[in-house]
């Protein structure tokens, strides 16, 4: 099992805990783990794409920053939703961007925002559907990613996430 | 108000989005980075599937989220739309009125 798969299982376990009235702590951790499962999935594949040697992969994986991956995901979303607009990332992408990759990128941004709220906003309350929905979306994202990971546009997303492609 | 106008437009299209969507609340507010974001809160009819955290549920929620984001883009809303889901029975009583 990969770290991404383990985190997803853990998220599902936490989202289903305490039948009746779930503890807010369980729901918050479920949302947070759902985000990290997608982050590690992308980073694991990105490091495999960037370096052949397995000894270097952990160091490469560690170099990925949450905000940089988010910025890359935002760039993919911006190009996808405005197919004719000018954007620094457009020349690096093949047209059209698949709806699956576009969704994966949207989900990354959305889950990151939810994780932020779940981890830091002590005034917020969460429902089981919010937690279970986040886990379901992360699970669906994990199913879509393997179909996309070897495409040109997914590679461009990975390179932008690693800050090897950026606006100039 | 952009959010109110959007809520009205999206609510009219509910059956197209998903049979189980009963209402959509729309808000504009700051995200964790302080940027303006659109928040869609989608109320779903109670359904045993909602108790799961399966990929099938994720696929259904993906369709709803994608449809709403696409419509917001077509309406020239210049910000990212975050889509969150809530079951009808999880809503506070005063908000349960079906659209």
């Amino acid at each position: 099992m990969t770290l991404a798969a383990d985190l997803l299982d853990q998220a599902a376990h936490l989202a289903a805990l305490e039948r009746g009235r779930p503890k807010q702590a369980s729901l918050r951790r479920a949302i947070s783990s759902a985000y990290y499962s997608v982050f590690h999935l992308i980073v694991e594949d990105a490091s495999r794409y960037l370096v052949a040697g397995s000894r270097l992969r952990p160091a490469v994986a560690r170099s990925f920053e949450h905000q940089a991956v988010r910025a890359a995901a935002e760039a993919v979303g911006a190009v996808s939703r405005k197919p004719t607009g000018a954007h620094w990332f457009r020349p690096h992408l093949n047209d059209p961007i698949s709806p699956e990759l576009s969704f994966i990128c949207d989900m990354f941004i959305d889950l990151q925002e939810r994780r932020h709220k779940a981890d830091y906003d002590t005034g917020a309350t969460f429902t089981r559907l919010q937690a279970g929905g986040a886990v379901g979306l992360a699970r669906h994202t994990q199913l879509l990613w393997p179909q996309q990971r070897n495409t040109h546009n997914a590679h461009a997303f990975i390179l932008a996430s690693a800050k090897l492609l950026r606006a100039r | 108000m952009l959010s109110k106008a959007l809520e009205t437009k999206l609510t009219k299209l509910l059956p197209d989005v998903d049979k189980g969507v009963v209402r959509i609340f729309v808000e504009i507010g700051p995200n964790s980075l302080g940027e303006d974001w659109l928040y869609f809160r989608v109320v779903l009819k109670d359904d045993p599937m909602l108790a799961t955290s399966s990929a099938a549920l994720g696929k259904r929620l993906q369709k709803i989220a994608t449809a709403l984001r696409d419509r917001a883009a077509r309406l020239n809303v210049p910000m990212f739309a975050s889509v969150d889901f809530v079951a009808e029975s999880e809503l506070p009583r005063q908000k349960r009125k079906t659209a």
Side-chain angles (χ1 to χ4, degrees), chain A residues 76-130:
Chain A
V76 172
V79 174
S80 165
R81 268 183 282 277
K82 292 270 178 201
T84 54
H87 196 283
W88 70 266
F89 201 32
R90 183 177 304 285
H92 300 298
L93 295 167
N94 281 345
D95 195 33
I97 295 171
S98 71
E100 291 79 13
L101 183 63
S102 182
F103 170 74
I104 290 164
C105 290
D106 285 349
M107 214 50 247
F108 182 85
I109 300 164
D110 212 333
L111 282 171
Q112 188 181 95
E113 198 62 31
R114 286 174 210 223
R115 181 205 78 88
H116 200 273
K117 197 170 173 192
D119 284 353
Y120 305 118
D121 186 349
T122 52
T125 52
F126 298 89
T127 67
R128 197 182 298 278
L129 176 57
Q130 282 176 305

Side-chain angles (χ1 to χ4, degrees), chain A residues 11-13 15-16 19 67 70 74 81-82 99-100 103 105-107 109-110 112-114 116-117 125 127-137 139-140 143-144, chain B residues 30-33 35 37 39 41-42 44 50-63 65-66 69-70 73 76-77 80-87 90:
Chain A
H13 173 69
R19 296 217 164 268
Q67 286 311 316
R70 177 173 172 156
E74 284 173 349
R81 268 183 282 277
K82 292 270 178 201
E100 291 79 13
F103 170 74
C105 290
D106 285 349
M107 214 50 247
I109 300 164
D110 212 333
Q112 188 181 95
E113 198 62 31
R114 286 174 210 223
H116 200 273
K117 197 170 173 192
T125 52
T127 67
R128 197 182 298 278
L129 176 57
Q130 282 176 305
V135 179
L137 284 163
R139 202 180 285 286
H140 184 54
L143 287 177
L144 293 178
Chain B
N31 65 7
S32 62
L33 305 173
E35 303 158 341
W37 261 35
Y39 292 93
R41 192 145 210 232
V42 180
L44 297 173
L50 300 181
T52 71
S53 53
S54 63
L57 173 66
K59 189 174 183 181
R60 180 181 163 204
L61 301 185
Q62 178 219 337
K63 278 188 183 160
T66 302
R69 286 194 185 108
D70 286 352
N76 282 322
V77 177
F80 184 79
S82 179
V83 187
D84 197 9
F85 298 92
V86 64
E90 292 176 329

Side-chain angles (χ1 to χ4, degrees), chain A residues 38-57:
Chain A
V38 173
F39 176 76
H40 283 290
L41 176 76
I42 291 169
V43 164
E44 279 168 25
D45 263 355
S47 17
R48 207 169 290 127
Y49 173 65
L50 291 169
V51 286
S54 59
R55 270 181 61 205
L56 288 170
R57 274 190 206 137

